[in-house]
Amino acid sequence: MITTTLLGYFKKNQKIALVAFISFVSIVLLSVRIVATQHLDFIFLTWNLFLAWVPLLFMKWVWEKEMVNPTPFGLLALYFIVWLLFFPNAPYIITDLKHLRGVPEEMLWFDSLLIFLFAVSGFLAGLYSVRVMHRIAVKRWNAQAAWTIITLSMILSGFGVFLGRFGRWNSWDILTQPGALLRGIMGSLQDPLAIKHTVAFSFVLMLLYFAFHFFAELKNYESTRRYS
């Protein structure tokens, strides 16, 4: 029953099915590594990948609600904030490449591909969630407002990745440790490394999403053309 429901959902949401397939392959490769080495060294990647999926599944849920009845502005703004709190988990996986420093030479290439595949899965899930949010913003307001929201989100997300990697903060710390998190944020705002990291990551995120959006729009355009 569950399998039938899941297959039906993937059939209706083929883009999510593609990201799910890549994520599944990532987990399979990790399982192979665990069996071969008898160690759980990179098991944390599964949790990081799960967190990368949260903003996508959440925004798909918001989109489906929006298609039935327009969400009140205040509630929609709250949904966007919740999405933004979890979105940095998607690009965060790329920073797990730092763990390659302790990998034995004979495992270096396999582990590099393993983390890269997890990072691609996370990036795709994250970029697709931005795409859904983009469509909602355009539908509710206009293209200019949507791009403004996306640009600000990418900047804040770049800073969020820094907080996660260097400050070791998590998305839910805003609820469990709000005071400590605020102090950590204020301290990071004065850290030159945080500024550089935020600029670099936000630029890459914006560039990747622009390319993701451009190819999606180009595909939609080409699908409407008639070729003789």
Side-chain angles (χ1 to χ4, degrees):
M1 182 63 180
I2 296 178
T3 302
T4 303
T5 303
L6 193 60
L7 289 175
Y9 180 80
F10 283 152
K11 187 175 181 179
K12 295 179 181 178
N13 298 271
Q14 295 182 359
K15 294 176 183 176
I16 288 186
L18 175 60
V19 181
F21 175 73
I22 298 174
S23 299
F24 174 74
V25 173
S26 303
I27 294 173
V28 169
L29 285 181
L30 176 60
S31 300
V32 170
R33 187 191 193 282
I34 291 174
V35 171
T37 63
Q38 296 297 301
H39 289 291
L40 300 175
D41 294 336
F42 289 99
I43 193 66
F44 61 85
L45 288 172
T46 56
W47 175 247
N48 291 347
L49 184 58
F50 167 77
L51 292 176
W53 268 87
V54 170
L56 173 55
L57 296 178
F58 179 73
M59 286 311 297
K60 284 290 290 183
W61 174 76
V62 173
W63 170 258
E64 290 169 1
K65 285 176 61 67
E66 183 72 10
M67 291 301 97
V68 177
N69 288 305
T71 308
F73 174 79
L75 185 57
L76 184 60
L78 179 61
Y79 286 158
F80 280 3
I81 292 173
V82 172
W83 166 81
L84 183 58
L85 288 174
F86 282 93
F87 173 73
N89 292 301
Y92 175 85
I93 301 179
I94 194 68
T95 67
D96 285 325
L97 287 169
K98 65 169 290 186
H99 296 288
L100 291 174
R101 289 181 297 187
V103 170
E105 185 174 355
E106 64 272 13
M107 293 293 297
L108 184 59
W109 287 111
F110 183 90
D111 289 346
S112 298
L113 292 173
L114 176 66
I115 296 177
F116 174 76
L117 196 56
F118 268 91
V120 168
S121 302
F123 262 114
L124 287 176
L127 292 175
Y128 189 26
S129 77
V130 181
R131 171 77 173 168
V132 177
M133 186 271 288
H134 190 169
R135 294 174 66 187
I136 294 174
V138 170
K139 178 177 178 292
R140 291 296 296 269
W141 301 295
N142 53 56
Q144 290 75 17
W147 280 110
T148 299
I149 294 172
I150 289 171
T151 301
L152 291 175
S153 297
M154 295 304 100
I155 294 173
L156 292 173
S157 296
F159 185 60
V161 173
F162 173 84
L163 291 175
R165 172 51 65 193
F166 294 94
R168 307 307 297 162
W169 296 103
N170 297 302
S171 300
W172 49 86
D173 284 330
I174 194 171
L175 297 176
T176 59
Q177 306 181 70
L181 175 59
L182 181 59
R183 290 191 294 273
I185 291 174
M186 297 306 295
S188 296
L189 289 175
Q190 304 174 42
D191 185 349
L193 176 61
I195 305 302
K196 295 176 182 177
H197 188 283
T198 299
V199 171
F201 245 89
S202 58
F203 173 77
V204 171
L205 286 173
M206 198 66 203
L207 180 65
L208 288 175
Y209 177 68
F210 180 80
F212 188 85
H213 173 77
F214 174 80
F215 281 113
E217 291 298 308
L218 184 62
K219 181 179 179 181
N220 290 338
Y221 169 73
E222 290 180 341
S223 65
T224 61
R225 296 182 62 185
R226 295 182 178 179
Y227 295 93
S228 58

